Amino acid sequence: MRTKNNNGMGWLFASPYLLYGLIFFLIPLGWSFYLSITDWNLIAPVFHHVGLDNFIKALKSPGVHAAFFVTFKFMIVFVPMVIASSLIVALVVHGLPRFKGLFLIGFFLPYLASGVVSSFIVKGFLSYNSPVNTFLRGQLGLDINWLGTPLSALLLVAVIIAWKFTGYYALILTSGFESINQEIYEAAAIDGVNGWQRFWRITLPLLYPALFTTLILSIGVTFGIFTEVYQLTGGGPNFGTNTWQMEIYKQAFQNLSAGYASAVALIASVVTFISIFIIRKFLEMWGKRNGWT
Amino acid sequence: MVGHKKKSLTIRYIIAFLLLLLMIFPYLYMVLNSFADWSQVDRKLIPTSFTLHSYEWLLSGGQSAEPRPWIRAFFNSLIVSSGSTILMMITGVVVAYALAKLQFRGRNFLNNAILFQMFFPAIILLVPTFLIIQRLGMYDSYLGMILPKALSLWAIFMYTNFFRAIPDTFIEAAKLDGASDWQIIFRIILPMSKSITIVVFLFLFMERWTELLWDMIVVKSDNMLTLNVLLSQMFGPYGGYPGPMYAASVILTVPIIILFLFFAKQFKEGMQFTLK
């Protein structure tokens, strides 16, 4: 095979990607840069070049400020939440001699839910006359407007997304646990290593690759939150859950400010790219310093 | 010692089962409320009186003047999701075959381009992609929903990694027998890739089935809406009719769960590879 010149065949088979990459990546990318310096409103035939006005306006806009901080707030809440829940599931399930696969399949089911559906369920479950709220009001005197305050709304969205991803990440972590050789634990037990040390010195280092994957995946998720926020809060209250996607959707398709939305999207992309790059490097350093990788 | 171990194992099973129940509870809540008497929807943790009223209301078009086409929306979703998924799988297999098994100049460049694009924040492409679809005359059409999602970088990535693990000797032997690249893909590579194909298929299909943002902005007519978008718009901001809302949620969720459970065994096997 290596003797034969496959250049033509290679490019032919790769051509779907080339075509797609051109039409749905390179052209939109260039177009997006161009749009970001115009005031086009998505409909009118005329528009003007406005230089960097869109960017200046965006950097001063409360919606953009909110998107920047809300993303990191989601990260602080969602990432530890989903890592903890998937770790718990993986810890409980991985050593079971029977029905392990059955459990893993069961825990994976929430991943199949549409964000629209999970939002509805939570909305109904926490509606004013729901059993939960009736109980809280009647027994504890707590009248909570779950979607009415920025913090509780943010927490709710984080919980919904964590619910969705727990089983998936647990699958990754379970296979991480399984790659740890049991003999290491036995040897450690002979050396008198106990529970907590065992976790820090053996389990965590050996689990690190799987943990790294789930951390990166979950951090990536926080930059793309849309459906749950759109369905439950519309970005509110008071921009409290206004993610990048929500802000861009509102600007482009509700306010019809295609030019301005492109500028916001450009800022969002740069922020996302740099944030993930820095966090990734930090995680790699953390692993290296501890000698885990 | 043995008795102690057995006991702790029982406790683990109980904990695992309770955890599973907790995770599945939202689904149970959804299904029970979809069948609950309307006076009990969202009023009881576990409803006690049941009816088909919610489903009847939904399928008869509800109380709005224009009958809401739930069945039409279901088939829209089916068409869009199947079309998209099939294309993503075909393009995934073909491109991955080139990247994993064909030697050609520029292969490394393409590999890197795909990796780069995978980690590129796609949000920047949303508005211009919408404009391209509009210019191509595909606004408010199936093609407009399918074509921008006709290729998945993730699918290419997964297949490329899998194909690399298939020994070249198989392919060389087939080539000596005069097999073409297409024949090699369909007769040799794909039959060896069943489990990964099922994993890729399930992930792509369910992601497409539950897509909201794109299907929402690219469609205008009521009779083109996907089920997920119709659900979102019908019961969105103003609430009302919680019973039918749960019924519609069941109609959206149950097919995908059945599909998943049907392939669950192969999914488990396939995931073994993807998680390595």
Side-chain angles (χ1 to χ4, degrees), chain B residues 27-64:
Chain B
Y27 281 141
L28 295 178
Y29 186 82
M30 168 184 80
V31 173
L32 288 174
N33 273 293
S34 79
F35 290 109
D37 191 87
W38 282 22
S39 65
Q40 294 194 338
V41 177
D42 284 334
R43 296 288 190 280
K44 290 196 163 202
L45 208 55
I46 294 162
T48 48
S49 145
F50 297 98
T51 165
L52 286 173
H53 192 184
S54 295
Y55 289 91
E56 284 162 7
W57 187 92
L58 207 64
L59 294 174
S60 68
Q63 290 194 341
S64 56

Side-chain angles (χ1 to χ4, degrees), chain A residues 7 14 38-39 45 50 70 76 102 136 139 145 153 178 198 212-213 221 255:
Chain A
N7 274 340
T38 72
D39 64 352
V50 293
V70 162
I76 291 167
L102 219 62
L136 288 177
Q139 305 297 314
N145 183 358
E178 269 158 18
R198 200 174 91 146
F212 180 82
T213 310
V221 165
N255 299 345

Side-chain angles (χ1 to χ4, degrees), chain B residues 99-116:
Chain B
L99 294 178
K101 290 294 171 215
L102 295 176
Q103 302 283 329
F104 62 100
R105 205 187 296 233
R107 189 172 79 161
N108 275 338
F109 169 77
L110 285 184
N111 255 322
N112 290 333
I114 287 170
L115 275 181
F116 171 77

Side-chain angles (χ1 to χ4, degrees), chain A residues 83-105:
Chain A
I83 296 290
S85 60
S86 52
L87 257 178
I88 290 171
V89 169
L91 272 170
V92 170
V93 170
H94 90 274
L96 297 179
R98 298 187 63 193
F99 305 121
K100 191 173 70 187
L102 219 62
F103 275 114
L104 285 175
I105 292 289

Side-chain angles (χ1 to χ4, degrees), chain B residues 56-77:
Chain B
E56 284 162 7
W57 187 92
L58 207 64
L59 294 174
S60 68
Q63 290 194 341
S64 56
E66 46 174 331
R68 284 288 179 168
W70 291 96
I71 294 166
R72 169 84 195 214
F74 182 85
F75 283 101
N76 286 344
S77 276

Side-chain angles (χ1 to χ4, degrees), chain A residues 7 17 20 98 109 114 163, chain B residues 13 23 27 105 117 148 228:
Chain A
N7 274 340
Y17 170 68
Y20 182 88
R98 298 187 63 193
L109 290 179
S114 153
W163 173 71
Chain B
Y13 271 109
M23 289 295 281
Y27 281 141
R105 205 187 296 233
Q117 210 181 321
N228 200 34

